[in-house]
Amino acid sequence: MTAPTQPHKPSCAKRIRAEIVAAGGTVKEAARAIADHCGVSPLRAHRLARGQTLDEAAAGMRLLAGSAPSAPKVERNQLGWWETGTRAPRLPTLELLCRYYEATPLELGLGELDVTVAAPSSVIAVRPGTSDGFPSVRAAPDSLGEHLDGARRATDRTLARGSTSPGQLDLLEERLLLMRGEYLYTPPAEMLAQLLLELGEVESYSQERQTTSVHVRLTEVTAVLSTLIADSLMKLGDIRRSRGWYETARNAAEESGNVDLRARVKAQAAMLPFYYGPLDAAVAWAREARLLTMHRRPSPTAAFATAAEARALAHQGNVAAARARAQEAQDLFDRLPPSPEDDAFGFPARRLMLYLSGTYTALGESSRARRFQEQALALYPTRTGIDPALLQLERAICLAHDRSATEACELASATYLRLPEPHRTPIVGARARRVIEVLPGANARTRAARELRELLELPIGTM
C-alpha cells in the first residue's frame, strides 16, 4: 500500500504565494495552488496564502469577532486542529472563518452550511428605526432576511458546481440587461424581489457541471446580480448582508476570469465603506479596481474606479491625490465612446459628474462642484432613482460651506420631501445629515437646521 503523501514545508507555500502575487494573482488563486501542490487542507492553504502563522491568523479572527461574550473564541491550537481535520468548528466559528478568509465553507474544505431558503415570494417592506437610525429590509410573513442569507449561500455553493444551452443563456442575459435598466429607477426594496427570482433561475441552470464557456457566462451573470443585490441592501442600510453579497459578487467575478468585471465589482463594493465607513477601505477597494484596469484599454470601469477613488480621497482629506485622480478620471472618460445611460453597469457623463461633484464638494471647491452639479442635473431624466437627489444635497453642502446656512437646510429639506418615499434610503438620509454637520459655528442650531434634523428623524411613512 502506498504511503500517504506528506505535506510540503511552509517554505514551499511561501514560494508559491510569492510567484502568484508577483503575477498579479489573487489570494484565492494562491490558496488553490498551495492546496493542490503542497498537500495541505484548503483551510490551511488559505492561511498560508496570506503568509500568516497560526498565532497571527487566530489573533486576526479574535479581532474580527469582537469582544462580545457570545463571540467565537479562536486560539492557535483550535485553528491547527481544524486545519488538520482533527476537530470541526461549530457553526458560529465556521461563519467567522468564512468572513476572515472571505471564502465559502466549500472553499475552506469545511462542507456546506445547511440552510433552508424561504420562498422568494416574500412581501417586502421597509421598517424604520434600526440601531443605526436608518430603515432596513424586512419581510412578512416570511423573513426576507433569511431568504437573502440562504440565497447567497446557495449561490456560493452553485459556484462550486457547474448543462445549459446557448439560447437559454442568451435569454437570461437579455433579461438581465433589461433589469440593469430598470434598476436605475426602481426602489431598492422592490428590486430585491426581482433580483432574487432571477438569481434562482441562474442556480437552477448550474446544478450540473457546465462546459467552460457556459460556466463563465453563468458566473458573470451571478456576479452582476449579486452586485445589484448588494447595492440594493446598501441603500436600505442592511450593511452586514450587503457586505456578504459583495463577497459573493467578488467570488463569482474571480471565478469568471473577467478582469473588467472583477474591477467593476471591487469599485462598486467601495461604495459600502464610502457611505458607512471606514473611508480607508473605500479608498483601498477603489484603488484595487483602478490598478486592475491600468494596463488595459480605457474603459468605463477604469473611469468609474478612478472617479470613485478621487471622491473617497477627497472625503479622506487627501487633497493632492484626490485632484490628480479626478483629472485622471476626466481624461479617461474623454477617450471613451458614449456609455449607455439606461444601464446600471454603464458610466455615462452624468455619473462621472456626480462623482466629480462629490469630490470637489468635499475639497471645499464649491464653484467647481456647482458646475458639475448643474451639468449633471440637466442630463438626468425625471424618474432616475436617487442620483438627482444626491446632486441636490451636494448643492446644499456647498451652500453650507459658503455659510448660506438657511438656504442650505431649506434645499436639503425640500429635496428629501420631493423624493418618493421608497427612495428615501439611508444613503439619502446620510447625505442630508451631512448638510447639518458641515454648518459652521452656531449655524447648526438655527431654526432651518433644527427643522431639517427633525424631518430626518421622522419614521418613513409618517410624512
Side-chain angles (χ1 to χ4, degrees):
M1 185 170 65
T2 304
T5 303
Q6 293 297 315
H8 296 191
K9 293 181 179 179
S11 58
C12 183
K14 184 177 181 180
R15 175 182 56 78
I16 292 172
R17 174 176 174 269
E19 290 173 354
I20 290 178
V21 169
T26 65
V27 173
K28 284 192 176 181
E29 289 169 344
R32 286 194 291 267
I34 291 169
D36 292 343
H37 182 78
C38 299
V40 298
S41 68
L43 183 60
R44 177 165 290 183
H46 273 76
R47 174 173 61 80
L48 295 174
R50 289 175 171 235
Q52 293 182 328
T53 64
L54 283 168
D55 283 323
E56 290 170 341
M61 289 177 203
R62 290 195 297 272
L63 183 63
L64 178 62
S67 58
S70 59
K73 308 299 181 187
V74 179
E75 302 296 338
R76 70 179 311 278
N77 290 341
Q78 291 175 308
L79 186 53
W81 292 332
W82 300 331
E83 288 183 353
T84 58
T86 306
R87 297 182 184 176
R90 298 196 305 182
L91 182 58
T93 312
L94 174 57
E95 292 176 343
L96 175 62
L97 289 165
C98 292
R99 287 170 56 204
Y100 184 75
Y101 288 123
E102 296 184 343
T104 66
L106 196 63
E107 289 171 329
L108 296 179
L110 297 173
E112 301 179 358
L113 292 177
D114 182 14
V115 179
T116 301
V117 181
S121 58
S122 299
V123 179
I124 302 172
V126 178
R127 182 176 69 85
T130 64
S131 58
D132 296 323
F134 294 136
S136 63
V137 179
R138 290 295 181 268
D142 296 326
S143 168
L144 177 62
E146 291 178 7
H147 181 205
L148 284 162
D149 292 341
R152 180 172 68 82
R153 289 163 183 157
T155 301
D156 287 335
R157 293 196 297 271
T158 296
L159 291 172
R161 294 194 295 265
S163 312
T164 304
S165 71
Q168 287 174 305
L169 281 174
D170 290 343
L171 290 172
L172 178 63
E173 289 171 345
E174 286 174 13
R175 290 201 306 273
L176 179 57
L177 189 58
L178 288 172
M179 293 182 72
R180 284 161 53 168
E182 293 170 359
Y183 188 84
L184 295 173
Y185 55 82
T186 306
E190 180 183 336
M191 200 70 212
L192 272 174
Q194 299 179 43
L195 293 167
L196 287 170
L197 285 172
E198 204 66 31
L199 190 61
E201 183 163 348
V202 175
E203 291 171 13
S204 72
Y205 289 155
S206 304
Q207 297 305 309
E208 298 178 2
R209 177 59 59 186
Q210 305 288 351
T211 63
T212 300
S213 60
V214 169
H215 178 69
V216 167
R217 290 175 69 181
L218 283 173
T219 52
E220 288 176 344
V221 170
T222 300
V224 172
L225 285 169
S226 299
T227 299
L228 295 178
I229 290 172
D231 189 67
S232 297
L233 290 166
M234 175 188 70
K235 290 176 180 175
L236 291 164
D238 197 333
I239 300 170
R240 180 184 67 81
R241 288 194 175 94
S242 177
R243 186 181 295 116
W245 276 99
Y246 273 129
E247 290 171 1
T248 294
R250 293 201 304 273
N251 290 342
E254 288 187 7
E255 187 73 18
S256 75
N258 185 326
V259 176
D260 189 79
L261 183 57
R262 286 173 55 196
R264 178 69 196 216
V265 171
K266 285 179 183 287
Q268 196 66 46
M271 299 304 103
L272 185 64
F274 174 77
Y275 284 109
Y276 300 107
L279 271 174
D280 287 352
V283 172
W285 278 115
R287 181 172 293 146
E288 283 189 33
R290 177 178 60 81
L291 292 174
L292 277 172
T293 66
M294 272 188 66
H295 303 297
R296 305 173 70 85
R297 293 171 58 184
S299 66
T301 297
F304 171 43
T306 308
E309 185 181 355
R311 187 174 67 168
L313 285 166
H315 280 260
Q316 198 180 48
N318 194 334
V319 177
R323 287 178 177 156
R325 290 288 172 262
Q327 185 60 54
E328 185 180 339
Q330 285 185 279
D331 293 342
L332 279 168
F333 188 85
D334 290 342
R335 295 160 62 189
L336 297 173
S339 182
E341 295 191 347
D342 56 349
D343 184 356
F345 266 61
F347 195 64
R350 67 195 190 199
R351 289 285 291 170
L352 172 68
M353 293 173 189
L354 172 69
Y355 282 84
L356 294 178
S357 162
T359 300
Y360 291 113
T361 297
L363 293 176
E365 299 181 25
S366 298
S367 59
R368 196 169 186 180
R370 281 196 195 92
R371 289 200 297 272
F372 287 117
Q373 291 155 15
E374 291 167 2
Q375 292 174 41
L377 285 167
L379 294 174
Y380 273 99
T382 305
R383 66 169 205 159
T384 308
I386 66 171
D387 283 0
L390 293 176
L391 283 160
Q392 292 287 10
L393 291 172
E394 293 288 353
R395 291 178 66 180
I397 292 171
C398 288
L399 288 169
H401 282 311
D402 295 343
R403 299 181 180 273
S404 299
T406 299
E407 190 179 355
C409 292
E410 288 176 349
L411 175 58
S413 296
T415 299
Y416 192 77
L417 288 170
R418 278 198 303 265
L419 194 63
E421 201 168 276
H423 284 296
R424 290 178 194 161
T425 60
I427 290 175
V428 179
R431 297 310 290 157
R433 287 181 181 85
R434 183 63 181 162
V435 175
I436 302 172
E437 291 170 4
V438 300
L439 289 172
N443 288 298
R445 296 191 295 274
T446 61
R447 177 179 176 181
R450 185 173 66 253
E451 289 176 348
L452 173 58
R453 190 180 293 109
E454 292 171 352
L455 173 65
L456 296 174
E457 289 172 355
L458 289 174
I460 300 294
T462 62
M463 286 176 274

